Amino acid sequence: MSSSDDKFTAADDAAVDRGRTTPGASRSLTAARVRDNIARVVWVVCMALALVLAVAAFTYALEANQDNGLVKLVRDLADTFDLSVFDLDNPVKAFTGKNAVVKTALFNYGLASVVYLVIGRVLERIIRP
């Protein structure tokens, strides 16, 4: 950006503050608001997916009733959104021995949750003006 671009932006901002908008300022403010809203939606979706995976991992840790409809729903959603990399049938890290299923679920779904949070934050920063 050149210094003339900075002056133009400052002048547009001053005009908006006084209630007078120029066409360029109005369009750039609208675009900024749209990008801000899209960034928020992307972040919320990634947080929701990370939360589903974390709750699914806790259903294994707490040995929740597998016949419960809510437990089935959460585990099915986690199986759908595990990026096919952190799948419990073919995990990144498979544990053996005592509580192997719990450890595998906590590790893989926990890692998938962190990946969703990182991806969400990076995308939010890229999209936000």
Side-chain angles (χ1 to χ4, degrees):
M1 280 181 110
S2 69
S3 62
S4 63
D5 289 338
D6 293 337
K7 290 178 186 174
F8 181 73
T9 304
D12 284 343
D13 290 343
V16 169
D17 289 341
R18 291 188 302 268
R20 293 176 280 147
T21 59
T22 59
S26 179
R27 273 187 256 126
S28 66
L29 287 175
T30 302
R33 285 186 187 126
V34 168
R35 288 177 59 191
D36 186 56
N37 288 335
I38 291 171
R40 286 181 188 182
V41 168
V42 166
W43 175 240
V44 168
V45 167
C46 287
M47 279 191 345
L49 294 174
L51 182 63
V52 165
L53 288 162
V55 169
F58 281 118
T59 64
Y60 285 97
L62 299 174
E63 298 176 0
N65 181 5
Q66 296 177 3
D67 296 328
N68 184 312
L70 187 58
V71 172
K72 281 183 184 177
L73 175 68
V74 169
R75 287 183 180 183
D76 288 344
L77 286 173
D79 191 41
T80 302
F81 297 117
D82 62 8
L83 302 172
S84 297
V85 175
F86 304 102
D87 189 22
L88 296 184
D89 296 330
N90 187 21
V92 171
K93 169 104 173 116
F95 291 89
T96 58
K98 186 177 179 183
N99 295 326
V101 174
V102 173
K103 292 175 187 175
T104 301
L106 286 173
F107 181 85
N108 288 285
Y109 283 166
L111 195 57
S113 293
V114 170
V115 167
Y116 269 116
L117 292 175
V118 169
I119 289 171
R121 187 54 87 180
V122 168
L123 287 176
E124 182 214 14
R125 298 292 172 132
I126 290 171
I127 295 169
R128 190 176 303 271

